[in-house]
Amino acid sequence: MLTFLPTYRALLLALGLPAAAATRASAQAAPPVIGADSLVHVAAGPQYRRGWLHQLLWGFHYRQEWATPVTVPVLNLRTVVPGGLKPVKEGGSFQTRNLRLVAPDGRQYVLRSVDKDATAALPEDMREGWIGRLMKDQTSVIHPYGAYIVPRLAQAADVYHTNPRLYFLPDDPSLGEFRQAFANQLYLLEERPEGDQRQVSSFGGSAAVTSSKNAFQSLVASPRYHVDARRYLRSRLFDMWLGDWSRREDQWRWAAFPGPDSTVVYRPIPRDRDHAFFKFDDGVLTRIVSFVKTNYQTFTRDIKLHDVEGLNRAARPMDKSLLVYLSKDDFQQVADSLRRALTDKVIGEALQVWPREVYALSGEEFRQKLQSRREQLPRVAEEFYRQLAREVEMPGTDEPERFVIEAAGRWQAWVRVYSLRPDGRNGRLIGQRLFDARQTGSIRLFGLGGNDEFQLIGLPDRRLRIHLYDGQGQDLVQQLQVPPRATKTHVTVYDSGDGNVLKVEKGLIDVESYQPKANEYDGAGWLLRHRLY
């Protein structure tokens, strides 16, 4: 049969690559017939069905789940919420197409396409070629209904979450200008976590939900703002349990709550579970790629410790900043609590929300994997802590702080950070942590903005390498309680020469002149580390 095909297309098929006709199959198919009961029977992605050779080379993935028709309700924009929903804005990332909707009471919702298209990241002239078709084909690494089971799991885990509902959006005239682009597709409809969400318990009932950019701007502007670190850690361990490796800053929203003394605490709202339950390395060529792209973590029964770094690479800047004051015991306590909360019953109930056709394909596989990965959470948390503890970065804010480094005997030193009052006394304790050189090789303290103070009480164990970066403002660095017959430490002061006062014994502490980098100079620069500026 191949002899009757054009040479180029025959070569693609021989290599197991997707031919153009196959990838356009779903676009050419007629939309499903909507019955009187407002239900349709439709497949999320029949175009991902492939022959055995293609699957052997490029992965079996979740192709069956994409190609299997499921029964879903039809979305009626006029009745889905009281007063209906009005489309107002198209959005989305490089893969997911979003349509923002507004209810009469001002609450916002989002339709997120079940099908994805990563080719938007390519130059236009490559999107229709074999590279573009191959990228589109790899959408099958994502479970089309994976995000649908997360809310029940997150509720039991005490992790904030959106509440996606699966719908088929017909060719509805009320779509207006968005009709051609969005009609006749499967979507997840969920609340948009932004603004006043006091009516949404899964966002904590916060009156002020904001973006990562806004939250981090506040965090680096003033010590009055801080993150609930244990709750963030709980969310991150939950991510690892789901195998969700794409947790960069834009994948989060933050629920703000008033704290004591006019402070504000942010609690995390993870969103966009497109990369949870990833299945990538089950093809000859995709397995080879996974050796290079170690962040492409496949959802397996075991969370391998050597894969923890890749699993968390996208979120590493956030993890280093937001978990810096938590101890090893904190990590273990949160992991143990999460493991107890995710019972077999919870897992079983969550999987039952799938359409029966999907459950028949994935239910038992997911049950076994989720139960097995749950039991590994304590050791994963231990490895997660170990990786973060090796090299620590502790930022201040653009207001004055006092960093106190106090020797605590062999191997150990305390670091405490206080807000600095106008009269020179310590204000609120921002955070503290006991460091051990057997876990931590280096500690870097960044004053960022404001006239900060760095106090060295005693001489820390020289096996701890401590680096003090002044940043913006005129800072004071001083030694207190220097013991007799002291020996040289591994403390280095980086002096930008903008009027700092150094009261240190240079025979015991190194002082180096330096030009601050943009991402260590002030709060705005620090946002560069988080891709938010």
Side-chain angles (χ1 to χ4, degrees):
M1 294 294 293
L2 288 179
T3 57
F4 298 99
L5 293 171
T7 304
Y8 179 65
R9 186 166 181 264
L11 178 61
L12 292 181
L13 291 174
L15 292 174
L17 295 172
T23 59
R24 290 194 295 263
S26 65
Q28 297 171 349
V33 176
I34 300 173
D37 54 358
S38 296
L39 296 173
V40 296
H41 201 57
V42 61
Q47 69 272 24
Y48 301 122
R49 186 184 290 112
R50 289 287 183 270
W52 181 85
L53 176 59
H54 180 95
Q55 294 185 81
L56 177 66
L57 293 176
W58 295 103
F60 292 84
H61 303 338
Y62 291 112
R63 298 181 188 278
Q64 276 191 287
E65 286 82 352
W66 281 99
T68 299
V70 298
T71 302
V72 296
V74 174
L75 177 61
N76 187 329
L77 294 176
R78 290 171 289 276
T79 61
V80 66
V81 300
L85 291 175
K86 180 181 178 181
V88 293
K89 184 178 180 181
E90 180 178 354
S93 64
F94 280 135
Q95 296 190 41
T96 304
R97 300 191 66 193
N98 291 351
L99 182 62
R100 192 182 305 179
L101 311 160
V102 177
D105 61 3
R107 294 179 64 189
Q108 296 189 21
Y109 296 79
V110 176
L111 278 172
R112 302 183 66 253
S113 62
V114 171
D115 197 8
K116 316 296 178 186
D117 185 359
T119 61
L122 291 174
E124 287 190 22
D125 60 346
M126 296 180 64
R127 294 176 188 175
E128 296 301 322
W130 72 267
I131 294 177
R133 293 195 293 272
L134 182 58
M135 285 185 64
K136 185 69 175 73
D137 173 74
Q138 290 300 300
T139 296
S140 55
V141 302
I142 300 169
H143 196 293
Y145 309 104
Y148 201 34
I149 67 172
V150 172
R152 177 68 184 91
L153 300 171
Q155 181 182 2
D158 193 21
V159 169
Y160 291 167
H161 57 90
T162 58
N163 298 279
R165 290 173 285 171
L166 182 65
Y167 285 105
F168 177 81
L169 181 64
D171 187 9
D172 189 337
S174 63
L175 285 169
E177 62 182 293
F178 308 105
R179 184 174 179 180
Q180 181 176 356
F182 284 85
N184 294 317
Q185 297 178 54
L186 280 174
Y187 293 92
L188 292 174
L189 175 68
E190 61 188 29
E191 314 92 338
R192 185 169 185 263
E194 193 78 22
D196 188 342
Q197 299 290 336
R198 282 175 289 188
Q199 295 179 317
V200 184
S201 60
S202 61
F203 298 159
S206 171
V209 174
T210 192
S211 66
S212 287
K213 183 173 183 177
N214 290 335
F216 275 74
Q217 285 177 335
S218 297
L219 291 171
V220 298
S222 170
R224 293 194 307 107
Y225 298 89
H226 67 281
V227 165
D228 185 336
R230 287 178 67 98
R231 182 172 280 274
Y232 175 72
L233 174 59
R234 194 174 188 89
S235 297
R236 292 293 293 114
L237 292 174
F238 185 75
D239 295 338
M240 295 178 225
W241 182 57
L242 301 179
D244 192 348
W245 54 267
S246 181
R247 303 309 308 159
R248 64 188 186 277
E249 285 79 353
D250 190 50
Q251 308 292 70
W252 301 80
R253 291 294 182 263
W254 302 89
F257 299 90
D261 301 324
S262 300
T263 59
V264 175
V265 59
Y266 289 115
R267 293 175 181 155
I269 304 173
R271 63 173 194 147
D272 189 351
R273 293 295 184 181
D274 287 345
H275 292 93
F277 316 119
F278 208 69
K279 186 185 286 188
F280 182 72
D281 65 357
D282 58 346
V284 174
L285 298 179
T286 54
R287 178 172 287 272
I288 294 172
V289 173
S290 70
F291 292 139
V292 179
K293 297 289 290 183
T294 56
N295 58 317
Y296 286 8
Q297 294 287 314
T298 292
F299 179 65
T300 59
R301 288 177 58 95
D302 299 315
I303 310 174
K304 300 179 179 65
L305 295 185
H306 62 78
D307 288 336
V308 170
E309 189 278 331
L311 184 58
N312 296 298
R313 189 175 303 150
R316 182 54 56 92
M318 289 178 61
D319 295 340
K320 289 174 72 69
S321 288
L322 303 184
L323 300 174
V324 69
Y325 293 116
L326 295 188
S327 67
K328 184 177 181 180
D329 285 344
D330 290 324
F331 275 65
Q332 287 303 307
Q333 289 168 13
V334 172
D336 287 339
S337 172
L338 186 59
R339 181 179 58 83
R340 291 192 298 269
L342 297 169
T343 64
D344 291 353
K345 180 180 178 182
V346 166
I347 293 171
E349 290 176 350
L351 295 174
Q352 289 296 329
V353 306
W354 268 337
R356 59 180 179 81
E357 301 93 340
V358 177
Y359 184 85
L361 294 171
S362 298
E364 184 59 23
E365 172 193 349
F366 270 58
R367 183 187 65 79
Q368 293 180 12
K369 288 180 177 179
L370 288 171
Q371 290 177 357
S372 176
R373 293 170 72 93
R374 173 194 62 201
E375 298 306 312
Q376 298 165 41
L377 284 173
R379 72 185 185 95
V380 169
E382 182 179 5
E383 175 64 15
F384 187 40
Y385 174 83
R386 188 186 69 80
Q387 292 183 6
L388 291 176
R390 285 189 301 227
E391 296 182 353
V392 172
E393 297 177 347
M394 304 181 77
T397 71
D398 278 346
E399 292 186 2
E401 279 93 33
R402 175 173 284 141
F403 297 81
V404 180
I405 304 98
E406 182 177 4
R410 286 175 56 81
W411 301 99
Q412 296 182 324
W414 278 101
V415 177
R416 298 181 176 92
V417 184
Y418 300 88
S419 60
L420 191 57
R421 294 171 49 169
D423 61 6
R425 291 190 295 172
N426 289 340
R428 187 176 63 86
L429 176 65
I430 297 172
Q432 62 179 337
R433 181 170 162 189
L434 178 64
F435 289 98
D436 191 307
R438 289 164 291 192
Q439 299 171 348
T440 301
S442 69
I443 306 167
R444 300 179 186 272
L445 309 180
F446 296 87
L448 300 187
N451 297 329
D452 302 305
E453 293 187 11
F454 298 86
Q455 292 184 348
L456 288 158
I457 301 177
L459 292 177
D461 191 301
R462 70 186 314 273
R463 285 164 289 203
L464 280 168
R465 298 179 180 272
I466 300 174
H467 309 265
L468 312 180
Y469 294 81
D470 61 342
Q472 189 183 43
Q474 285 78 51
D475 299 338
L476 170 64
V477 183
Q478 61 180 333
Q479 283 181 266
L480 304 173
Q481 302 176 17
V482 180
R485 297 184 297 277
T487 58
K488 187 175 176 60
T489 67
H490 273 140
V491 177
T492 303
V493 178
Y494 295 89
D495 180 16
S496 63
D498 59 353
N500 300 317
V501 177
L502 308 182
K503 298 181 178 180
V504 300
E505 295 188 27
K506 294 187 178 180
L508 301 176
I509 292 175
D510 291 326
V511 178
E512 294 185 11
S513 298
Y514 92 121
Q515 183 67 37
K517 297 178 181 178
N519 63 2
E520 60 194 29
Y521 181 68
D522 58 10
W526 190 262
L527 296 179
L528 292 173
R529 296 184 181 229
H530 298 282
R531 300 154 288 202
L532 293 172
Y533 187 75

